[in-house]
């Protein structure tokens, strides 16, 4: 068997980025004609086949779903995978997981690796770096080559495919309304940087809920955490940031945090500063993971139903794969298949525990 | 391309188990000659190649490591994967993750799927069902076909390969000695069923530490939890079991739990029963995950250094893969490569927090 060249190797040989190679091979206009020609010639010479996805799809079914998630040490993504597995197994499919580690390049490499005959379709959540770059050519190229993708949680309009999302916006409104209805006057928000779509939507929900209740938003009450902090080992920095935030807003009586780590850390800092929870300050998080369940006091939180998201995503992907099968049996044009993409919204639910009144 | 048949399909067609097919194809003596012949003939007819691992190995390097873990919603396994990724990326390898879900059959299916040309070698931790069955033919068949395996955490003597283990035994001794040195007289153990090797080793460490300190072990002070309980959704049953255990041992003043979920749940139950931690009862867990860090009070625990385990495992595997490369360049017999397997023991460390004096 002839050794097959990869995107990475082409990039290395020609001293360009993997993204450039990937774009040149999918004929993107962003890359100069010169570079595109050079890369395509090189790829041809070394037998790289950008279209082997479509070829392999026509000829065999692996009955395997490729999942790509941004992070492995993450309760939400784990529960989504559990949901995907559950449905996949029930319907006779296997799953295989690749990790982007929030990196654009690793997302491309993993997709290339898995698409190369190992899987029938993808379920994935977009990496932070990809969202920051707003470069989605690799998803579209994969879809155009005939391999379906289902996006979940972190999705974008620029990619046309089936999607499963959480009602982040409404979830936040529920949380903030709960705080307001139990008497909070000065509600802080602990969130991520804006380019992470879920953080942005949750922030919007917070602002909307305040407005609905005729409370004027105060920029000082919004703490945006740099995402590199939510890895372990940086917990001290997270604590310090939250402590500074509390000290700068001494009359704060409610906190809504966009994930459970921020929420649990906020409770810890609040206790350290002598606040009683929920008497002096109430806290609500997002994601009903182990931290929320086992926190003291138990954390009131917005449950995203990660497992249900995974189950839905798997059903959408397998439905599409099997629809393609049956449709091609009746000689219906393939382009028909790529229409009628669905976006399923999984309702959030406020799980009330002892961190609120 | 001709559609390739899988173990699963052969099993279905011939109405036998996947394990039987797998064993017959690797020539196991456990399977009758009749069945073996039938399965081998069928596999040949449908072009199943049990030896394609070795073939693919000789002809190309995927520069990809296959990881198989028993469970995805599990902090320890996630941190091991993070460690593997770190080293793999540094050394120019990618990783791909399969999940056995603690199932023997799924372990075999995943190994077959990944070994089929996608990866150069495996890093894996054995599923509970496999440990219970004590059936390791699929690991040995893979190794015999020339694909290296590194086992971590849950390992067995029956498989000869590189291994990375935690000093579970010594870790437990450290934990129980800590409880004894701070005045505990009646120390309970909350552990798993015996067939899980790590649970067994941690139990042995507990017994050894008691003996060293001339404390007579009391069977009533050992609670063995059925492993199906440590999934979410069964937390209530876990709590009830621990509550019954505490009530049956009312003078208990120390608890050592073999994982952090049991430890955190023990703290919760203890508080509910009116015990003060650490004054009335001290608690130590195993695994330094998010639960331990964010528990109230912070949980004293035995850290396994999951990330270090992953890093070591990746180094062992890549060393072996690259040794094979260079050795085959010098025409050294392949059998030489399969010798000198290493077992690396990663030292545990007692992380002291506020659940002990």
């Amino acid at each position: 068997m002839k050794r097959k060249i990869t995107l990475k190797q082409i990039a290395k040989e020609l001293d360009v980025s993997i993204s450039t190679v990937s774009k040149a091979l999918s004929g993107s206009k962003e890359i100069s004609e010169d570079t595109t020609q050079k890369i395509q010639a090189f790829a041809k010479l070394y037998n790289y086949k950008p279209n082997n996805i479509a070829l392999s799809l026509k000829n065999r079914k692996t009955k395997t779903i490729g999942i790509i998630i941004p992070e492995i040490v993450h309760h939400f993504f784990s529960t989504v995978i559990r949901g995907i597995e559950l449905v996949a197994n029930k319907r006779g499919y296997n799953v295989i997981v690749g990790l982007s580690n929030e990196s654009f390049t690793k997302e491309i490499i993993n997709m290339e690796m898995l698409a190369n005959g190992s899987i029938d379709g993808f379920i994935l959540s977009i990496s932070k770096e990809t969202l920051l770059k707003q470069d989605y050519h690799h998803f579209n190229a994969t879809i155009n080559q005939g391999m379906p993708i289902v996006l979940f949680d972190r999705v974008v309009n620029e990619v046309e495919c089936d999607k499963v999302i959480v009602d982040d916006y409404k979830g936040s409104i529920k949380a903030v309304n709960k705080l307001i209805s139990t008497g909070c006057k000065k509600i802080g928000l602990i969130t991520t940087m804006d380019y992470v779509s879920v953080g942005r939507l949750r922030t919007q929900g917070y602002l909307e809920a305040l407005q609905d209740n005729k409370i004027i938003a105060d920029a000082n009450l919004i703490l945006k955490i740099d995402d590199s902090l939510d890895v372990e080992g940086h917990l001290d920095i997270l604590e310090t940031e939250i402590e500074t935030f509390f000290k700068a807003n001494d009359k704060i009586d409610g906190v809504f945090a966009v994930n459970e780590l921020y929420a649990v850390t906020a409770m810890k800092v609040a206790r350290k500063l002598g606040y009683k929870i929920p008497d002096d300050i109430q806290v609500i998080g997002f994601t009903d993971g182990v931290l929320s369940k086992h926190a003291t006091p138990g954390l009131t939180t917005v449950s995203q139903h990660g497992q249900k998201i995974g189950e839905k995503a798997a059903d959408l992907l397998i439905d599409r794969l099997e629809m393609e099968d049956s449709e091609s049996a009746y000689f219906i044009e393939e382009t028909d298949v790529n229409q009628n993409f669905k976006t399923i919204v999984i309702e959030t639910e406020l799980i009330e525990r002892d961190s609120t009144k």
Side-chain angles (χ1 to χ4, degrees), chain A:
Chain A
M1 195 192 300
K2 200 167 170 184
R3 181 173 163 169
K4 264 193 50 200
I5 199 161
T6 63
L7 286 185
K8 203 170 166 183
Q9 289 163 325
I10 300 178
K12 200 176 161 196
E13 287 297 327
L14 299 181
D15 198 22
V16 293
S17 76
I18 287 173
S19 156
T20 301
V21 176
S22 174
K23 283 181 187 165
L25 292 176
S26 64
S28 162
K29 295 247 157 62
E30 279 178 62
I31 310 297
S32 77
E33 211 168 301
D34 244 36
T35 309
T36 300
Q37 279 180 359
K38 188 174 69 180
I39 290 171
Q40 289 189 345
F42 189 90
K44 199 173 169 190
L45 185 67
Y46 284 93
N47 207 28
Y48 181 83
K49 293 194 189 73
N51 290 313
N52 52 7
I53 292 174
L55 283 174
S56 87
L57 266 183
K58 285 210 195 306
N59 289 290
R60 64 172 204 161
K61 295 285 168 190
T62 61
K63 286 269 185 182
T64 301
I65 294 171
I67 304 172
I68 296 183
I69 53 166
E71 214 187 314
I72 187 87
V73 188
H74 197 295
H75 184 82
F76 170 67
F77 289 124
S78 311
T79 53
V80 173
I81 293 178
R82 186 194 276 163
I84 296 172
E85 268 248 298
L86 221 90
V87 167
N89 290 342
K90 218 176 282 169
R91 299 184 65 173
Y93 285 73
N94 213 333
V95 305
I96 195 169
V97 185
L99 308 166
S100 68
N101 270 348
E102 304 288 11
S103 143
F104 173 68
T105 307
K106 282 216 65 188
E107 192 170 75
I108 293 179
I109 291 177
N110 268 286
M111 286 186 73
E112 186 210 19
M113 175 178 70
L114 291 178
N116 219 334
S118 301
I119 62 160
D120 296 340
F122 281 109
I123 296 176
L124 57 86
S125 196
I126 306 177
S127 83
K128 281 180 189 165
E129 200 188 349
T130 306
L131 293 169
L132 195 56
K133 278 179 181 273
Q134 301 185 287
D135 183 340
Y136 312 115
H137 78 280
H138 49 309
F139 303 129
N140 288 318
T142 304
I143 294 168
N144 290 338
Q145 285 163 34
M147 177 165 281
I149 292 179
V150 175
L151 290 179
F152 71 90
D153 193 43
R154 301 191 196 157
V155 308
V156 291
N157 291 330
E158 290 87 337
V159 182
E160 282 186 52
C161 65
D162 291 317
K163 291 165 194 173
V164 184
I165 55 174
V166 181
D167 62 344
D168 291 287
Y169 178 74
K170 277 197 212 158
S172 298
I173 293 179
K174 283 179 202 167
V176 177
N177 277 341
K178 166 75 189 172
L179 291 174
I180 294 170
S181 72
T182 50
C184 293
K185 302 286 179 213
K186 204 169 172 182
I187 300 170
L189 172 74
I190 306 181
T191 184
T192 59
M193 296 293 174
D194 278 344
Y195 64 87
V196 181
S197 51
V198 298
R200 196 174 58 236
L201 285 167
R202 291 172 197 169
T203 303
Q204 279 170 12
Y206 162 84
L207 294 171
E208 178 75 22
L210 292 184
Q211 199 177 359
D212 286 351
N213 288 279
K214 303 197 170 43
I215 299 176
I216 292 160
D218 174 357
N220 293 322
L221 281 170
I222 300 179
L223 173 62
K224 289 189 183 173
I225 303 279
D226 183 345
D227 294 279
S228 56
L229 297 179
D230 59 9
V231 291
E232 286 168 73
H234 291 87
L235 288 176
D236 294 346
I237 306 174
L238 181 63
E239 269 183 55
T240 312
E241 286 219 19
I242 294 176
E243 189 168 338
T244 310
F245 175 68
F246 277 173
K247 284 182 176 161
N249 296 286
D250 64 338
K251 292 219 174 104
I252 197 164
D253 55 7
V255 169
F256 171 50
V258 301
N259 61 45
E260 58 172 5
L261 180 64
Y262 294 175
V264 169
T265 309
M267 290 211 291
K268 189 173 173 185
V269 172
R271 261 198 314 270
K272 190 177 147 193
L273 297 177
Y275 288 95
K276 275 189 196 124
I277 303 166
D279 301 329
D280 305 330
I281 192 165
Q282 302 187 58
V283 181
I284 300 184
F286 214 106
T287 302
D288 189 29
V290 279
L291 276 182
S292 307
K293 289 191 186 89
H294 295 282
T296 313
L299 180 67
T300 295
T301 195
V302 181
S303 169
Q304 300 153 290
H305 300 297
Q307 184 169 324
K308 206 189 276 177
I309 293 173
E311 289 172 11
K312 258 300 175 227
D315 270 326
L316 282 175
L317 183 67
I318 296 172
D319 285 351
R320 188 161 293 275
L321 291 169
E322 300 189 345
M323 176 172 70
E324 284 176 0
D325 279 356
S326 64
E327 295 206 353
S328 65
Y330 292 97
F331 302 104
I332 291 172
E333 286 287 296
E334 248 193 40
T335 46
D336 280 19
V337 175
N338 293 323
Q339 292 169 353
N340 306 318
F341 288 120
K342 287 181 196 156
T343 293
I344 308 253
V345 181
I346 304 291
E347 287 259 322
T348 52
E349 183 189 353
L350 192 69
I351 310 281
E352 299 196 23
R353 297 203 181 90
D354 301 327
S355 67
T356 48
K357 289 180 194 166

